[in-house]
PDB file of all heavy atoms in Angstrom:
ATOM      1  N   THR A 229      30.786  -4.116 -25.321  1.00 36.00           N
ATOM      2  CA  THR A 229      29.944  -4.146 -26.608  1.00 36.00           C
ATOM      3  C   THR A 229      29.455  -2.808 -27.084  1.00 36.00           C
ATOM      4  O   THR A 229      29.403  -2.411 -28.208  1.00 36.00           O
ATOM      5  CB  THR A 229      28.780  -5.116 -26.376  1.00 36.00           C
ATOM      6  OG1 THR A 229      29.229  -6.355 -25.997  1.00 36.00           O
ATOM      7  CG2 THR A 229      27.859  -5.173 -27.704  1.00 36.00           C
ATOM      8  N   ASN A 230      29.112  -2.035 -25.971  1.00 39.00           N
ATOM      9  CA  ASN A 230      28.654  -0.709 -26.220  1.00 39.00           C
ATOM     10  C   ASN A 230      29.686   0.180 -26.885  1.00 39.00           C
ATOM     11  O   ASN A 230      29.472   0.962 -27.882  1.00 39.00           O
ATOM     12  CB  ASN A 230      28.108   0.026 -25.087  1.00 39.00           C
ATOM     13  CG  ASN A 230      27.424   1.292 -25.306  1.00 39.00           C
ATOM     14  OD1 ASN A 230      26.489   1.401 -26.000  1.00 39.00           O
ATOM     15  ND2 ASN A 230      27.908   2.330 -24.630  1.00 39.00           N
ATOM     16  N   VAL A 231      30.901   0.130 -26.309  1.00 35.00           N
ATOM     17  CA  VAL A 231      32.030   0.894 -26.831  1.00 35.00           C
ATOM     18  C   VAL A 231      32.352   0.524 -28.281  1.00 35.00           C
ATOM     19  O   VAL A 231      32.577   1.240 -29.143  1.00 35.00           O
ATOM     20  CB  VAL A 231      33.313   0.631 -25.965  1.00 35.00           C
ATOM     21  CG1 VAL A 231      34.470   1.306 -26.585  1.00 35.00           C
ATOM     22  CG2 VAL A 231      33.060   1.234 -24.562  1.00 35.00           C
ATOM     23  N   SER A 232      32.312  -0.871 -28.479  1.00 37.00           N
ATOM     24  CA  SER A 232      32.536  -1.362 -29.946  1.00 37.00           C
ATOM     25  C   SER A 232      31.444  -0.805 -30.827  1.00 37.00           C
ATOM     26  O   SER A 232      31.737  -0.404 -32.010  1.00 37.00           O
ATOM     27  CB  SER A 232      32.516  -2.904 -29.868  1.00 37.00           C
ATOM     28  OG  SER A 232      32.729  -3.311 -31.216  1.00 37.00           O
ATOM     29  N   ALA A 233      30.232  -0.833 -30.364  1.00 39.00           N
ATOM     30  CA  ALA A 233      29.048  -0.288 -31.177  1.00 39.00           C
ATOM     31  C   ALA A 233      29.244   1.132 -31.425  1.00 39.00           C
ATOM     32  O   ALA A 233      29.009   1.651 -32.552  1.00 39.00           O
ATOM     33  CB  ALA A 233      27.730  -0.538 -30.485  1.00 39.00           C
ATOM     34  N   GLN A 234      29.750   1.852 -30.416  1.00 42.00           N
ATOM     35  CA  GLN A 234      29.963   3.318 -30.604  1.00 42.00           C
ATOM     36  C   GLN A 234      31.019   3.600 -31.568  1.00 42.00           C
ATOM     37  O   GLN A 234      30.917   4.550 -32.310  1.00 42.00           O
ATOM     38  CB  GLN A 234      30.313   3.871 -29.104  1.00 42.00           C
ATOM     39  CG  GLN A 234      30.369   5.500 -29.156  1.00 42.00           C
ATOM     40  CD  GLN A 234      29.058   6.021 -29.519  1.00 42.00           C
ATOM     41  OE1 GLN A 234      28.064   5.568 -29.014  1.00 42.00           O
ATOM     42  NE2 GLN A 234      29.044   7.229 -30.258  1.00 42.00           N
ATOM     43  N   ASP A 235      32.106   2.787 -31.537  1.00 45.00           N
ATOM     44  CA  ASP A 235      33.126   2.898 -32.513  1.00 45.00           C
ATOM     45  C   ASP A 235      32.573   2.822 -33.891  1.00 45.00           C
ATOM     46  O   ASP A 235      32.937   3.492 -34.873  1.00 45.00           O
ATOM     47  CB  ASP A 235      34.236   1.891 -32.315  1.00 45.00           C
ATOM     48  CG  ASP A 235      35.086   2.209 -31.016  1.00 45.00           C
ATOM     49  OD1 ASP A 235      35.023   3.320 -30.551  1.00 45.00           O
ATOM     50  OD2 ASP A 235      35.729   1.281 -30.509  1.00 45.00           O
ATOM     51  N   LYS A 236      31.611   1.824 -34.093  1.00 45.00           N
ATOM     52  CA  LYS A 236      31.063   1.535 -35.408  1.00 45.00           C
ATOM     53  C   LYS A 236      30.173   2.753 -35.730  1.00 45.00           C
ATOM     54  O   LYS A 236      30.081   3.218 -36.934  1.00 45.00           O
ATOM     55  CB  LYS A 236      30.155   0.327 -35.399  1.00 45.00           C
ATOM     56  CG  LYS A 236      31.014  -0.977 -35.299  1.00 45.00           C
ATOM     57  CD  LYS A 236      30.106  -2.206 -35.437  1.00 45.00           C
ATOM     58  CE  LYS A 236      30.939  -3.432 -35.392  1.00 45.00           C
ATOM     59  NZ  LYS A 236      30.134  -4.676 -35.501  1.00 45.00           N
ATOM     60  N   LYS A 237      29.498   3.385 -34.791  1.00 49.00           N
ATOM     61  CA  LYS A 237      28.685   4.530 -35.096  1.00 49.00           C
ATOM     62  C   LYS A 237      29.479   5.650 -35.555  1.00 49.00           C
ATOM     63  O   LYS A 237      29.024   6.590 -36.252  1.00 49.00           O
ATOM     64  CB  LYS A 237      27.779   4.871 -33.768  1.00 49.00           C
ATOM     65  CG  LYS A 237      26.761   3.929 -33.490  1.00 49.00           C
ATOM     66  CD  LYS A 237      25.902   4.398 -32.237  1.00 49.00           C
ATOM     67  CE  LYS A 237      24.764   3.412 -31.962  1.00 49.00           C
ATOM     68  NZ  LYS A 237      24.014   3.824 -30.856  1.00 49.00           N
ATOM     69  N   ASP A 238      30.742   5.796 -35.041  1.00 58.00           N
ATOM     70  CA  ASP A 238      31.609   6.894 -35.331  1.00 58.00           C
ATOM     71  C   ASP A 238      32.545   6.576 -36.585  1.00 58.00           C
ATOM     72  O   ASP A 238      33.440   7.375 -36.799  1.00 58.00           O
ATOM     73  CB  ASP A 238      32.451   7.240 -34.101  1.00 58.00           C
ATOM     74  CG  ASP A 238      31.587   7.804 -32.962  1.00 58.00           C
ATOM     75  OD1 ASP A 238      30.603   8.400 -33.209  1.00 58.00           O
ATOM     76  OD2 ASP A 238      32.095   7.640 -31.772  1.00 58.00           O
ATOM     77  N   MET A 239      32.154   5.638 -37.291  1.00 75.00           N
ATOM     78  CA  MET A 239      32.938   5.303 -38.557  1.00 75.00           C
ATOM     79  C   MET A 239      32.779   6.328 -39.556  1.00 75.00           C
ATOM     80  O   MET A 239      31.751   6.916 -39.645  1.00 75.00           O
ATOM     81  CB  MET A 239      32.475   4.004 -39.082  1.00 75.00           C
ATOM     82  CG  MET A 239      32.990   2.777 -38.390  1.00 75.00           C
ATOM     83  SD  MET A 239      32.746   1.228 -39.250  1.00 75.00           S
ATOM     84  CE  MET A 239      30.971   1.272 -39.763  1.00 75.00           C
ATOM     85  N   PHE A 240      33.859   6.615 -40.368  1.00 82.00           N
ATOM     86  CA  PHE A 240      33.846   7.546 -41.405  1.00 82.00           C
ATOM     87  C   PHE A 240      32.904   6.929 -42.507  1.00 82.00           C
ATOM     88  O   PHE A 240      33.277   5.942 -43.110  1.00 82.00           O
ATOM     89  CB  PHE A 240      35.290   7.808 -41.965  1.00 82.00           C
ATOM     90  CG  PHE A 240      35.353   8.829 -42.997  1.00 82.00           C
ATOM     91  CD1 PHE A 240      35.129  10.163 -42.666  1.00 82.00           C
ATOM     92  CD2 PHE A 240      35.551   8.467 -44.291  1.00 82.00           C
ATOM     93  CE1 PHE A 240      35.182  11.148 -43.707  1.00 82.00           C
ATOM     94  CE2 PHE A 240      35.652   9.433 -45.329  1.00 82.00           C
ATOM     95  CZ  PHE A 240      35.494  10.763 -45.036  1.00 82.00           C
ATOM     96  N   ASN A 241      31.852   7.537 -42.867  1.00 87.00           N
ATOM     97  CA  ASN A 241      30.856   7.045 -43.760  1.00 87.00           C
ATOM     98  C   ASN A 241      30.208   8.200 -44.578  1.00 87.00           C
ATOM     99  O   ASN A 241      29.066   8.473 -44.427  1.00 87.00           O
ATOM    100  CB  ASN A 241      29.835   6.249 -43.013  1.00 87.00           C
ATOM    101  CG  ASN A 241      28.866   5.501 -43.908  1.00 87.00           C
ATOM    102  OD1 ASN A 241      29.153   5.235 -45.008  1.00 87.00           O
ATOM    103  ND2 ASN A 241      27.690   5.241 -43.480  1.00 87.00           N
ATOM    104  N   PRO A 242      30.902   8.804 -45.511  1.00 90.00           N
ATOM    105  CA  PRO A 242      30.375   9.932 -46.258  1.00 90.00           C
ATOM    106  C   PRO A 242      29.444   9.476 -47.267  1.00 90.00           C
ATOM    107  O   PRO A 242      29.316   8.355 -47.665  1.00 90.00           O
ATOM    108  CB  PRO A 242      31.648  10.580 -46.941  1.00 90.00           C
ATOM    109  CG  PRO A 242      32.578   9.255 -47.098  1.00 90.00           C
ATOM    110  CD  PRO A 242      32.331   8.471 -45.848  1.00 90.00           C
ATOM    111  N   VAL A 243      28.492  10.430 -47.719  1.00 92.00           N
ATOM    112  CA  VAL A 243      27.659  10.191 -48.830  1.00 92.00           C
ATOM    113  C   VAL A 243      28.312  10.301 -50.161  1.00 92.00           C
ATOM    114  O   VAL A 243      28.941  11.326 -50.423  1.00 92.00           O
ATOM    115  CB  VAL A 243      26.372  11.125 -48.723  1.00 92.00           C
ATOM    116  CG1 VAL A 243      25.415  10.913 -49.777  1.00 92.00           C
ATOM    117  CG2 VAL A 243      25.724  10.996 -47.414  1.00 92.00           C
ATOM    118  N   ASN A 244      28.416   9.267 -50.901  1.00 91.00           N
ATOM    119  CA  ASN A 244      29.095   9.313 -52.193  1.00 91.00           C
ATOM    120  C   ASN A 244      28.284   9.747 -53.379  1.00 91.00           C
ATOM    121  O   ASN A 244      27.136   9.231 -53.513  1.00 91.00           O
ATOM    122  CB  ASN A 244      29.684   7.893 -52.421  1.00 91.00           C
ATOM    123  CG  ASN A 244      30.636   7.447 -51.305  1.00 91.00           C
ATOM    124  OD1 ASN A 244      31.507   8.240 -50.952  1.00 91.00           O
ATOM    125  ND2 ASN A 244      30.580   6.229 -50.874  1.00 91.00           N
ATOM    126  N   THR A 245      28.777  10.573 -54.222  1.00 93.00           N
ATOM    127  CA  THR A 245      28.060  11.013 -55.429  1.00 93.00           C
ATOM    128  C   THR A 245      29.123  11.037 -56.594  1.00 93.00           C
ATOM    129  O   THR A 245      30.341  11.083 -56.370  1.00 93.00           O
ATOM    130  CB  THR A 245      27.396  12.274 -55.346  1.00 93.00           C
ATOM    131  OG1 THR A 245      28.287  13.363 -55.281  1.00 93.00           O
ATOM    132  CG2 THR A 245      26.440  12.347 -54.142  1.00 93.00           C
ATOM    133  N   SER A 246      28.708  11.103 -57.872  1.00 93.00           N
ATOM    134  CA  SER A 246      29.484  11.401 -58.972  1.00 93.00           C
ATOM    135  C   SER A 246      29.475  12.908 -59.177  1.00 93.00           C
ATOM    136  O   SER A 246      28.757  13.549 -58.504  1.00 93.00           O
ATOM    137  CB  SER A 246      29.019  10.684 -60.184  1.00 93.00           C
ATOM    138  OG  SER A 246      27.630  11.021 -60.515  1.00 93.00           O
ATOM    139  N   VAL A 247      30.189  13.355 -60.171  1.00 94.00           N
ATOM    140  CA  VAL A 247      30.251  14.784 -60.525  1.00 94.00           C
ATOM    141  C   VAL A 247      30.158  15.711 -59.316  1.00 94.00           C
ATOM    142  O   VAL A 247      29.376  16.587 -59.241  1.00 94.00           O
ATOM    143  CB  VAL A 247      29.138  15.251 -61.560  1.00 94.00           C
ATOM    144  CG1 VAL A 247      29.475  14.679 -62.940  1.00 94.00           C
ATOM    145  CG2 VAL A 247      27.810  14.744 -61.202  1.00 94.00           C
ATOM    146  N   THR A 248      31.088  15.484 -58.371  1.00 93.00           N
ATOM    147  CA  THR A 248      31.092  16.173 -57.164  1.00 93.00           C
ATOM    148  C   THR A 248      31.425  17.704 -57.388  1.00 93.00           C
ATOM    149  O   THR A 248      31.218  18.528 -56.469  1.00 93.00           O
ATOM    150  CB  THR A 248      32.086  15.609 -56.116  1.00 93.00           C
ATOM    151  OG1 THR A 248      33.367  15.587 -56.825  1.00 93.00           O
ATOM    152  CG2 THR A 248      31.721  14.306 -55.641  1.00 93.00           C
ATOM    153  N   SER A 249      31.942  18.168 -58.472  1.00 94.00           N
ATOM    154  CA  SER A 249      32.249  19.460 -58.795  1.00 94.00           C
ATOM    155  C   SER A 249      30.991  20.361 -58.748  1.00 94.00           C
ATOM    156  O   SER A 249      31.064  21.643 -58.618  1.00 94.00           O
ATOM    157  CB  SER A 249      32.987  19.601 -60.128  1.00 94.00           C
ATOM    158  OG  SER A 249      32.148  19.165 -61.230  1.00 94.00           O
ATOM    159  N   GLN A 250      29.884  19.757 -58.914  1.00 95.00           N
ATOM    160  CA  GLN A 250      28.576  20.534 -58.848  1.00 95.00           C
ATOM    161  C   GLN A 250      28.313  21.045 -57.464  1.00 95.00           C
ATOM    162  O   GLN A 250      27.550  21.981 -57.314  1.00 95.00           O
ATOM    163  CB  GLN A 250      27.373  19.516 -59.282  1.00 95.00           C
ATOM    164  CG  GLN A 250      27.391  19.120 -60.792  1.00 95.00           C
ATOM    165  CD  GLN A 250      27.065  20.311 -61.700  1.00 95.00           C
ATOM    166  OE1 GLN A 250      26.145  21.069 -61.441  1.00 95.00           O
ATOM    167  NE2 GLN A 250      27.852  20.484 -62.661  1.00 95.00           N
ATOM    168  N   THR A 251      28.910  20.509 -56.516  1.00 95.00           N
ATOM    169  CA  THR A 251      28.710  21.048 -55.059  1.00 95.00           C
ATOM    170  C   THR A 251      29.668  22.148 -54.667  1.00 95.00           C
ATOM    171  O   THR A 251      29.636  22.600 -53.593  1.00 95.00           O
ATOM    172  CB  THR A 251      28.867  19.829 -54.155  1.00 95.00           C
ATOM    173  OG1 THR A 251      30.210  19.357 -54.173  1.00 95.00           O
ATOM    174  CG2 THR A 251      27.831  18.677 -54.499  1.00 95.00           C
ATOM    175  N   ILE A 252      30.651  22.502 -55.476  1.00 95.00           N
ATOM    176  CA  ILE A 252      31.627  23.562 -55.150  1.00 95.00           C
ATOM    177  C   ILE A 252      31.059  24.903 -55.402  1.00 95.00           C
ATOM    178  O   ILE A 252      30.449  25.188 -56.464  1.00 95.00           O
ATOM    179  CB  ILE A 252      32.860  23.414 -56.052  1.00 95.00           C
ATOM    180  CG1 ILE A 252      33.463  22.011 -55.881  1.00 95.00           C
ATOM    181  CG2 ILE A 252      33.923  24.429 -55.683  1.00 95.00           C
ATOM    182  CD1 ILE A 252      34.671  21.751 -56.818  1.00 95.00           C
ATOM    183  N   ALA A 253      31.105  25.770 -54.274  1.00 95.00           N
ATOM    184  CA  ALA A 253      30.585  27.125 -54.424  1.00 95.00           C
ATOM    185  C   ALA A 253      31.485  27.815 -55.428  1.00 95.00           C
ATOM    186  O   ALA A 253      32.595  27.902 -55.277  1.00 95.00           O
ATOM    187  CB  ALA A 253      30.670  27.810 -53.039  1.00 95.00           C
TER     188      ALA A 253
END
């Protein structure tokens, strides 16, 4: 169960926004 929970914790979960070009240096 802990390994399964750890797999969930390590899921790819980025913060989504619109107009992402505003973050480009």
Side-chain angles (χ1 to χ4, degrees):
T229 304
N230 186 60
V231 171
S232 177
Q234 187 65 35
D235 289 341
K236 289 183 178 181
K237 287 183 180 181
D238 292 335
M239 286 192 306
F240 185 71
N241 187 26
V243 179
N244 298 314
T245 70
S246 59
V247 287
T248 54
S249 63
Q250 290 290 313
T251 64
I252 301 174

